[in-house]
Amino acid sequence: AAAPTIHRPTAPTVGLAARGPPDPRWLRSRQRLLAARVVAALWRMSVLIIGAGGAVGKRLVAALAARGERIVAVDRAAQLPENLREKVTHAETNADVRDFYTMQRIFKRHRFVHTVWNLAAPLSVETALNPTVAEQVTVNGMRNVLWAMYEARVRKIMFTDSIGSFGASAPRQDCTARWLTEHPLQDPGSDYGRQKRGVRRLLREFWRTGGDPRWAVLPGVLHSESAWGHGTTEYALEALLAAAKGEPFVCKIDPEVRLPMIYVDDLMRGLLALQDTEERYLREPERGYAMPGFSFTASELFAEIRHHVPDFRFTVELDPNMSKFSELWPDTLSTKEPLQDLGYEARVGLREMVFKVLIAHRERLTAGGS
């Protein structure tokens, strides 16, 4: 016998024309729902800062927190200072950038990261004193961070390069990050500069895999904090502290050598502008930009200090490493590219910087601080 025919009910087919146009109220509610989901996703996204407890890291945390960013602070210290802990959403301490598995675990714990700042790198003199450890932190550390980012599908990485990347063959005036990309084999004359070059090479490879690396060439960073690392341009900070204490100062570089510097408030504006600018507006090769501030010699700094401390005294005892670095590095950085692409230009000059720093030191000394 023939199998019985089974009639399956079918849903009525109604064409779009028969349905009529969609209800605009439904469209508006759908758009609001999608917008709410996007905002919620963005709100959960964080900025991850490696080296958050350093001189630049602390200021970057404060600048990002002030505009409502969620921050994951990563540092090798056992704990962050209390005034820093209250500004961050999460803290990852005892974290060594040289250990890949540590970096990998951090990115697995914090899935919603839209930008990474890798600030883990010794300063120039620290690198000269122990180049092996410095390379492990600076170059191998960046390699570990980039691998962990690649696995976690995080694209944007921010890196602070240095004027220490420029060698004797670099221009003295209006130096640009572009020059470094156009002269990849130039000798920076130090392990410090060669390690920065190694990091730029890693960032270039990361860009080829679809990443969004951005880097800033930093001059000497000046601020009003009471402590800092062991670098070359830090001579200016030491001179200002000695002046505030009424102590004589020993200058370890040639007083007539001109070096580019930047006040930390200007630096934060420039770094945030580099982070925030859309990719299509970053027209410089490899997305590298110099961060100009102002330039001066030690003699010009001391003359400005004497406007506030007339009896300020100094002697000159050249340090081999500091003297070598200061003579290699450029006199000024170009202002054109960051202004055109990032809308950044410095606001603080030598006179205002000296006033700000001396006032801060005097207030601390009066209050019994160091």
Side-chain angles (χ1 to χ4, degrees):
T5 301
I6 300 176
H7 297 283
R8 303 180 187 276
T10 59
T13 58
V14 180
L16 288 176
R19 291 179 187 168
D23 187 341
R25 291 172 299 179
W26 178 87
L27 277 179
R28 284 195 294 270
S29 63
R30 178 67 173 170
Q31 289 167 349
R32 283 195 294 268
L33 177 60
L34 291 174
R37 287 178 178 173
V38 169
V39 169
L42 290 174
W43 179 248
R44 290 196 303 269
M45 299 293 279
S46 302
V47 179
L48 189 145
I49 304 175
I50 301 168
V56 174
K58 288 186 292 187
R59 293 289 188 141
L60 191 58
V61 166
L64 289 167
R67 67 182 200 178
E69 294 267 14
R70 292 168 58 90
I71 301 166
V72 178
V74 180
D75 201 83
R76 66 178 180 175
Q79 64 178 10
L80 295 176
E82 184 176 352
N83 64 341
L84 200 61
R85 288 200 304 269
E86 64 189 18
K87 294 181 175 71
V88 305
T89 310
H90 300 282
E92 296 283 352
T93 52
N94 289 312
D96 192 340
V97 75
R98 295 173 293 180
D99 182 0
F100 168 72
Y101 295 105
T102 296
M103 294 296 105
Q104 187 183 50
R105 284 194 297 271
I106 288 173
F107 278 93
K108 284 183 177 179
R109 276 198 290 265
H110 305 284
R111 291 287 187 182
F112 299 101
V113 171
H114 65 77
T115 301
V116 175
W117 282 90
N118 184 11
L119 306 174
L123 296 175
S124 58
V125 177
E126 295 166 344
T127 298
L129 295 174
N130 199 334
T132 301
V133 171
E135 179 153 0
Q136 292 171 355
V137 173
T138 304
V139 183
N140 294 346
M142 178 60 86
R143 184 179 289 110
N144 291 337
V145 170
L146 292 177
W147 267 113
M149 288 178 61
Y150 180 78
E151 290 184 353
R153 298 297 184 264
V154 179
R155 292 187 63 239
K156 188 187 292 187
I157 172 76
M158 312 292 297
F159 172 65
T160 49
D161 204 323
S162 165
I163 53 173
S165 292
F166 295 104
S169 61
R172 297 293 89 192
Q173 304 292 328
D174 297 328
C175 263
T176 65
R178 176 188 290 267
W179 190 91
L180 293 173
T181 66
E182 292 174 346
H183 300 81
L185 300 181
Q186 67 101 23
D187 182 11
S190 67
D191 291 311
Y192 181 66
R194 283 185 282 272
Q195 289 167 16
K196 300 292 187 184
R197 181 176 62 190
V199 169
R200 292 196 303 274
R201 188 178 300 118
L202 292 173
L203 294 176
R204 193 180 312 122
E205 294 172 0
F206 187 65
W207 175 74
R208 288 170 180 161
T209 66
D212 178 14
R214 308 176 183 198
W215 46 277
V217 179
L218 270 56
V221 180
L222 303 175
H223 54 77
S224 58
E225 301 292 330
S226 59
W228 46 83
H230 194 193
T232 300
T233 54
E234 276 70 17
Y235 88 86
L237 296 173
E238 293 168 1
L240 287 160
L241 180 58
K245 291 181 174 180
E247 298 174 350
F249 172 67
V250 178
C251 184
K252 298 181 180 180
I253 70 169
D254 184 336
E256 301 308 318
V257 169
R258 186 173 301 277
L259 287 171
M261 305 276 189
I262 189 171
Y263 191 62
V264 71
D265 292 353
D266 282 337
L267 176 61
M268 290 304 108
R269 291 191 305 104
L271 293 181
L272 293 184
L274 180 58
Q275 173 185 304
D276 296 341
T277 300
E278 294 181 33
E279 290 183 70
R280 60 196 174 106
Y281 294 123
L282 299 175
R283 292 170 288 191
E284 286 302 289
E286 301 179 21
R287 298 169 183 174
Y289 289 84
M291 286 290 153
F294 52 99
S295 297
F296 56 83
T297 66
S299 292
E300 291 169 346
L301 171 65
F302 301 156
E304 187 61 37
I305 287 175
R306 286 196 176 108
H307 285 119
H308 304 273
V309 186
D311 59 348
F312 174 73
R313 303 182 308 280
F314 74 94
T315 56
V316 178
E317 295 179 15
L318 299 183
D319 176 275
N321 287 318
M322 293 176 65
S323 183
K324 169 189 171 183
F325 292 141
S326 64
E327 292 174 1
L328 280 173
W329 298 347
D331 297 348
T332 63
L333 298 177
S334 174
T335 61
K336 178 182 175 182
E337 297 77 16
L339 180 60
Q340 286 184 342
D341 294 1
L342 311 179
Y344 162 78
E345 62 180 340
R347 296 174 182 169
V348 177
L350 175 61
R351 179 169 298 179
E352 185 177 354
M353 181 278 296
V354 169
F355 177 78
K356 285 175 176 285
V357 176
L358 285 178
I359 288 294
H361 284 326
R362 284 171 172 170
E363 287 177 351
R364 266 192 300 271
L365 291 169
T366 302
S370 59

